[in-house]
Amino acid sequence: MGRIHRYYSALSRYHKSNGYGIHSPFAFKFVLNVLRERLPYYNYEEIEAVRKQILAGMRRYAGHSRVMSKKNGKMLFRVVNYFNPGHLLQIGTNYGMSSVCMMQVSSRSHLWLCEPHFDTFSITAKVLDPYMQRISLGNSAQELIAAYRNVLQPEEMPFMLINSIEDADYDSVLGYTIDILQNRGVIVLRNLTRNDHVKRLFDEISRRYTYGMIFTNEKIAFIVSNPKLPRQLYALWF
């Protein structure tokens, strides 16, 4: 997924991103009406305000990880809004930015958040404070995944967002990812070019999935596992 590869694949990704060559009705709708939707949503101003708050809070820390862009935050909101899960699982927080984008969708949703470094940056707790009544926080992926699975109803589709993965958590995250691939659910992988474990997980998913669809711009990937969908990977521009 180097820059040279992205450069040579740019034209193909651009055409696919405008719907050319996409024959699946689900994929066509998801790409054009969700990933690349340009119409404003009701909470975009809140997402932008939270990002400004995080950036202001992180100015004192040199060399900190990049804060999710406004564009990606809004896209994450649209994806969650499209699937509308009641229960969400998140591994790694990105200072609370991605959590806010997801929880803005519904006041009835609940988030299981695995973040071993929650107290490292005070801005994370500040940003998430209005939502803490709807957040179950832990520092072990294994324990959080077990708790999350326990609350899901049999017909409920899991929704998992992964920002980063700690060494000790990789096997637990991989195990649950495989379970989703073999059943149904949605997995969002961020930081494919910045976190080695996330990249490794994406490579495992690309080898293992037998049905469902992957939508990726080679930095972010959205995996929709559904036995009704054929196995397909869409390299896109979004």
Side-chain angles (χ1 to χ4, degrees):
M1 292 189 185
R3 291 184 179 180
I4 295 177
H5 174 76
R6 285 180 55 80
Y7 175 80
Y8 282 110
S9 66
L11 184 60
S12 174
R13 289 187 289 114
Y14 177 79
H15 282 301
K16 281 287 197 307
S17 299
N18 286 283
Y20 300 111
I22 297 180
H23 304 295
S24 162
F26 165 79
F28 188 87
K29 178 180 179 181
F30 186 68
V31 170
L32 296 185
N33 296 346
V34 182
L35 297 182
R36 291 178 57 83
E37 175 63 78
R38 295 295 181 262
L39 295 176
Y41 279 71
Y42 58 87
N43 75 326
Y44 279 3
E45 290 185 3
E46 176 65 20
I47 290 174
E48 293 181 8
V50 167
R51 187 173 188 272
K52 288 181 180 178
Q53 182 183 7
I54 293 172
L55 289 173
M58 295 303 296
R59 282 177 186 157
R60 72 186 74 172
Y61 302 101
H64 64 79
S65 299
R66 184 177 297 178
V67 180
M68 175 189 284
S69 68
K70 291 185 293 185
K71 176 183 175 183
N72 286 341
K74 294 172 183 177
M75 179 171 61
L76 177 60
F77 168 83
R78 294 194 302 270
V79 170
V80 176
N81 185 67
Y82 179 79
F83 292 104
N84 196 25
H87 300 93
L88 307 109
L89 173 66
Q90 181 176 342
I91 311 297
T93 183
N94 191 246
Y95 317 114
M97 177 70 181
S98 51
S99 303
V100 170
C101 292
M102 294 196 298
M103 300 198 75
Q104 279 280 314
V105 171
S106 172
S107 61
R108 295 186 296 273
S109 63
H110 193 95
L111 174 67
W112 274 256
L113 175 60
C114 176
E115 180 48 82
H117 309 291
F118 185 82
D119 296 325
T120 302
F121 303 107
S122 59
I123 190 63
T124 304
K126 187 174 182 179
V127 164
L128 292 182
D129 182 67
Y131 305 92
M132 289 308 296
Q133 290 185 338
R134 296 193 284 128
I135 295 177
S136 296
L137 178 66
N139 57 18
S140 166
Q142 183 177 12
E143 293 176 2
L144 261 293
I145 289 171
Y148 178 72
R149 298 181 71 161
N150 190 52
V151 301
L152 290 178
Q153 299 299 312
E155 71 282 358
E156 190 173 3
M157 185 173 67
F159 189 103
M160 178 165 63
L161 167 68
I162 301 173
N163 280 307
S164 59
I165 307 174
E166 300 286 315
D167 291 343
D169 290 330
Y170 182 80
D171 288 342
S172 297
V173 175
L174 173 62
Y176 190 44
T177 299
I178 293 172
D179 183 69
I180 292 176
L181 293 178
Q182 293 174 343
N183 293 283
R184 59 193 296 268
V186 178
I187 304 167
V188 181
L189 302 180
R190 297 190 62 251
N191 301 314
L192 292 177
T193 61
R194 297 180 178 275
N195 186 280
D196 290 340
H197 286 319
V198 176
K199 172 61 169 60
R200 179 182 169 195
L201 183 64
F202 177 77
D203 291 341
E204 286 284 352
I205 291 173
S206 299
R207 286 192 293 267
R208 289 173 180 261
Y209 81 112
T210 56
Y211 52 75
M213 295 179 173
I214 297 176
F215 305 85
T216 182
N217 63 0
E218 301 184 355
K219 293 182 179 181
I220 307 171
F222 299 94
I223 299 97
V224 182
S225 180
N226 187 328
K228 296 181 180 180
L229 296 176
R231 187 179 190 271
Q232 183 70 54
L233 186 151
Y234 293 98
L236 304 168
W237 188 292
F238 55 76

